Amino acid sequence: MARPDPGIRPGRIPDRRRTRLHRFEHLLLRVPGEAGPAALSGARRALRDDLRPRPQRERSIASTIEYLRNSLNYPRDQYEILVINDASTDRTGEILEGLQQRYPDLRVITIVQNRGKAHGFNVALAYAKGDFILSNDADTKPNPDALWQYLSYFEREGGHNVGAVTGNMLPANRTTIPAEAQQNELNSIIGLIKRSQMSYGALFAFSGANTMYRKQAVLDVGGWHAEQPTEDIAIAWEMQVASWSAVFAPHIRFFLDVPERTPALVKQRRRWSSGGIYVMLTKAPKLLSRPRRNFAMVPVVIDYGLSIVWSFSYWVSMALFLLLQIYYAASQNWEHFLHGWYMVAIYVCIQMIVGFVQLTLASFFNDRGRTLKYILFAPWYLLIYWMVNTFTIVYEFIPTVRKVWRHRDGGAWISPERSTSLQSTHPE
């Protein structure tokens, strides 16, 4: 039995010696043609791993299953693997057949028509016999002690009202500048912002790649909502509105495959932006109708609403600035032309200083400064990455409003390309 994770502080989170052993019956993997999940679930207490092999995931699905079977510090006879093949069109089905021959207890359910990740989750939910479900993407590997650490939150004093615990995601592939820059993003946005959200008791979203849910809480909110583009945001809002507690556990780390090229990154962020807007339009009115009851969620709604307004303001001001610069250049008003660029330089310097401070603090909060070496990629993140995120919000706003207005589902989507290099069994 491996030693407890040093990130757990005694007295606050029970270690494995004080955590009740849980019986798990199913590890469920959903394998889609365009997108999909997989999961680990159980009998008396369920653990569900949602593995989502997409067209570029056939190289990682086998190593992920091997890792979850053989590398987790949890009794192997206490959980079972169940794979959902969600209309996969690559070699994933063939790979799973080979794994079934090697592991007879590996169960595979095939879905003929891909209807999105949330639909696959709900199919898996019907086969989960236990009380807890761990979602885990097909190219994601949690740290070996993750099961004990997750369960400790549900078993500790006052944990009966915990509906979900979400982990701390880090990129496994750092082979390009966009991938390296995402190390900065995951530290600052996922790490620091979720810590700040926990200070007032609510989370904007769970990490869809690795979150443990209480099955009772999932059923209480009607399962995952298949019409939502981002099921992790939607169920986070639904659970918290239903008075279930949500917890961010920064010491529970998992490594995932992130987009390595800017076009793939933009494609991913378009879905994320559409999902956030979709949730705002469909769930915020109900939430704000009872502000006292949903007091902790009100800052989340306001924060994201202001983010949408700021994104539009950013691009409107950018367009106005460029038009003015073209006018000054055409009229040979060089004094105003140069003055405009001087002001841009000042604003960029302020942005860089604030950004570096934020990233430095986030690194120390997250891993005591070990990721400061990635701060070299901070300029790309601070100057380009933010523009990508604001652009996707503006780009997806009108199409998402149309989807909501016409009652069209947004749950089915095409996954962006990912790395083809993550085939090792163990995370970094």
Side-chain angles (χ1 to χ4, degrees):
M1 186 176 293
R3 58 187 174 82
D5 190 298
I8 303 179
R9 289 184 286 178
R12 293 196 62 187
I13 304 173
D15 63 24
R16 67 187 58 180
R17 292 169 297 181
R18 287 177 284 166
T19 301
R20 187 184 312 166
L21 185 64
H22 293 278
R23 169 77 178 167
F24 296 106
E25 292 298 339
H26 301 88
L27 167 58
L28 188 141
L29 314 178
R30 172 174 170 262
V31 183
E34 304 297 353
L40 214 171
S41 74
R44 292 178 52 199
R45 302 288 184 186
L47 171 69
R48 172 169 174 242
D49 267 332
D50 178 14
L51 309 181
R52 306 181 51 221
R54 302 166 183 145
Q56 295 298 326
R57 304 286 177 99
E58 63 182 31
R59 295 178 175 86
S60 61
I61 181 63
S63 67
T64 303
I65 293 176
E66 294 280 359
Y67 177 83
L68 293 171
R69 283 186 59 91
N70 305 318
S71 300
L72 296 180
N73 293 331
Y74 202 86
R76 180 61 194 86
D77 60 349
Q78 299 300 305
Y79 62 89
E80 182 183 6
I81 300 176
L82 173 64
V83 183
I84 294 185
N85 185 348
D86 195 0
S88 176
T89 56
D90 58 10
R91 294 183 55 252
T92 303
E94 178 184 341
I95 294 172
L96 291 174
E97 289 180 4
L99 289 170
Q100 280 186 296
Q101 294 178 2
R102 189 187 313 170
Y103 305 116
D105 60 339
L106 178 66
R107 300 178 60 193
V108 177
I109 298 175
T110 300
I111 298 177
V112 176
Q113 181 181 3
N114 174 18
R115 294 178 56 191
K117 182 178 178 181
H119 173 260
F121 274 161
N122 290 327
V123 171
L125 185 65
Y127 290 89
K129 299 178 181 178
D131 296 331
F132 300 106
I133 298 172
L134 175 65
S135 68
N136 186 96
D137 278 2
D139 52 8
T140 300
K141 298 181 177 70
N143 69 65
D145 289 334
L147 303 190
W148 297 98
Q149 294 170 332
Y150 274 125
L151 287 171
S152 68
Y153 282 92
F154 296 98
E155 292 298 316
R156 66 181 178 179
E157 184 178 356
H160 64 279
N161 199 46
V162 174
V165 180
T166 189
N168 190 5
M169 59 182 176
L170 298 170
N173 53 321
R174 302 161 191 165
T175 54
T176 64
I177 291 180
E180 295 278 9
Q182 286 173 82
Q183 175 69 50
N184 292 316
E185 181 196 33
L186 297 180
N187 260 343
S188 61
I189 293 181
I190 304 301
L192 197 60
I193 292 182
K194 283 194 174 181
R195 282 180 171 87
S196 65
Q197 290 174 346
M198 286 300 298
S199 67
Y200 51 80
L203 290 176
F204 173 74
F206 300 141
S207 299
N210 203 264
T211 295
M212 182 174 282
Y213 300 92
R214 185 186 298 273
K215 184 179 179 182
Q216 179 184 351
V218 176
L219 294 173
D220 187 41
V221 298
W224 287 270
H225 293 191
E227 80 282 358
Q228 295 284 344
T230 48
E231 85 299 329
D232 46 0
I233 301 178
I235 197 168
W237 285 43
E238 286 291 335
M239 279 192 178
Q240 292 171 102
V241 169
S243 299
W244 290 99
S245 298
V247 178
F248 171 57
H251 63 284
I252 305 179
R253 299 179 180 180
F254 59 94
F255 298 84
L256 73 160
D257 183 9
V258 298
E260 294 182 325
R261 299 189 305 114
T262 301
L265 175 66
V266 172
K267 186 176 183 179
Q268 180 195 64
R269 298 312 160 91
R270 283 178 57 190
R271 182 178 70 89
W272 289 9
S273 298
S274 177
I277 297 167
Y278 204 110
V279 168
M280 276 286 292
L281 295 175
T282 57
K283 300 188 182 300
K286 176 183 175 182
L287 187 152
L288 294 176
S289 66
R290 306 185 68 178
R292 289 189 178 181
R293 176 179 177 181
N294 304 312
F295 182 75
M297 285 293 294
V298 171
V300 172
V301 177
I302 295 175
D303 177 67
Y304 194 71
L306 291 176
S307 297
I308 295 175
V309 173
W310 178 81
S311 297
F312 276 92
S313 301
Y314 176 86
W315 286 104
V316 169
S317 61
M318 175 74 77
L320 291 175
F321 170 77
L322 292 176
L323 289 174
L324 280 174
Q325 293 302 101
I326 293 173
Y327 170 76
Y328 291 144
S331 60
Q332 297 186 352
N333 189 341
W334 303 116
E335 180 180 356
H336 284 82
F337 181 85
L338 293 175
H339 177 74
W341 288 108
Y342 290 152
M343 295 303 297
V344 168
I346 292 173
Y347 292 147
V348 168
C349 288
I350 294 174
Q351 176 187 0
M352 295 295 288
I353 292 172
V354 173
F356 273 108
V357 171
Q358 177 188 353
L359 293 174
T360 301
L361 291 175
S363 179
F364 277 103
F365 274 118
N366 209 41
D367 52 25
R368 300 179 182 177
R370 283 180 293 179
T371 52
L372 279 177
K373 57 184 177 181
Y374 298 107
I375 207 167
L376 295 174
F377 300 93
W380 191 93
Y381 165 68
L382 295 171
L383 294 176
I384 306 298
Y385 220 86
W386 285 357
M387 294 177 67
V388 170
N389 290 336
T390 57
F391 167 76
T392 56
I393 288 178
V394 173
Y395 187 86
E396 289 293 328
F397 186 81
I398 298 300
T400 304
V401 171
R402 288 176 178 172
K403 286 181 182 178
V404 175
W405 181 262
R406 297 174 181 176
H407 302 285
R408 289 174 51 194
D409 290 351
W413 39 271
I414 299 175
S415 172
E417 292 183 6
R418 299 299 180 88
S419 170
T420 59
S421 61
L422 298 180
Q423 301 182 47
S424 62
T425 300
H426 299 277
E428 288 186 28

